[in-house]
Amino acid sequence: MLKVLFVCTGNICRSPTAEGVFRHLADRAGLGALVSADSAGTHSYHVGEPPDPRTVRAALARGVDLSALRARKVAAADFTRFDHILAMDRGHLAQLRRIAPAGATAALRLFLDDAPGHIGHEGEGQEVPDPYYGGPDGFEQVLDLCEAGSRGLLDRLSRESRFPIRESLG
C-alpha cells in the first residue's frame, strides 16, 4: 500500500481538502485499497479541530465528505510512515525539509508537481493558495487544484506502481 500525507499550515483548509479529494478519486479509480491518505499541518493551531466549515461545505457540494477529519500536526514518524509527503506551498515544503529527521524515507514534493497545466516555469508545481481569509471562490479554487493534483498524482502512482485504474481520471 502506498501512503500519502498532504501538508498545509493548520490542517483545516488545503490539506484536508487534498486528503478527501485524493481518497474520493482513488476510490473511483479502483485504487482505494492500494493507497492511503492522511493530512497534517506544519503548526498546531487547530489540533483536534474539524476542517473549516467553508471547506467542508464546498467539498460536500462536490460529493467529498470531510466532516470526520481532525487536524493534527506533522510528526517525526510521518517521515518514515509515509511514502510521499506533499506540501501545499513552498513554505511548507521548506519547513518539512528543515524538520525531516535523519533517516527520513518519504519523498517530499509540492502537491501540484504532477498536475498537468499547473507546473511552474522551473518545472515545479504551482502552490495551492490559502483560502482561509478570502471568500467562497477561494475554497472552490482549492478544490479545483486538489482535483487536478490528485488526478496527476494518481496517474503517476499508477504508472510507477502499475496500479490498474478502472475509471478515467480526466
Side-chain angles (χ1 to χ4, degrees):
M1 176 174 281
L2 280 169
K3 297 176 182 171
V4 182
L5 179 67
F6 301 96
V7 177
C8 70
T9 306
N11 192 213
I12 61 166
C13 294
R14 294 173 282 178
S15 57
T17 300
E19 175 187 353
V21 167
F22 179 80
R23 284 182 183 185
H24 179 76
L25 291 177
D27 286 344
R28 281 183 42 200
L31 301 176
L34 301 173
V35 296
S36 70
D38 195 3
S39 60
T42 56
H43 293 75
S44 59
Y45 305 138
H46 302 285
V47 169
E49 295 178 18
D52 183 290
R54 298 167 295 175
T55 296
V56 174
R57 276 192 305 274
L60 195 54
R62 295 192 191 193
V64 179
D65 186 2
L66 306 178
S67 63
L69 302 181
R70 295 297 177 265
R72 71 177 187 87
K73 186 177 178 188
V74 173
D78 291 334
F79 291 90
T80 53
R81 192 173 68 164
F82 290 92
D83 301 298
H84 302 274
I85 299 179
L86 304 175
M88 296 296 118
D89 66 34
R90 286 176 183 76
H92 301 132
L93 184 58
Q95 185 160 1
L96 289 166
R97 288 178 173 153
R98 280 193 304 276
I99 66 171
T105 56
L108 303 176
R109 299 186 345 263
L110 285 172
F111 175 48
L112 293 179
D113 277 356
D114 294 306
H118 298 283
I119 306 302
H121 65 281
E122 294 184 22
E124 267 191 340
Q126 295 173 345
E127 297 181 319
V128 178
D130 189 349
Y132 189 79
Y133 294 104
D137 290 348
F139 293 90
E140 294 299 326
Q141 180 186 21
V142 167
L143 276 159
D144 291 343
L145 292 171
C146 286
E147 288 174 1
S150 293
R151 283 186 182 99
L153 176 62
L154 284 166
D155 184 54
R156 185 173 69 78
L157 293 176
S158 179
R159 284 191 319 270
E160 287 178 358
S161 304
R162 294 179 167 76
F163 287 158
I165 292 181
R166 290 195 308 237
E167 179 180 313
S168 170
L169 294 171

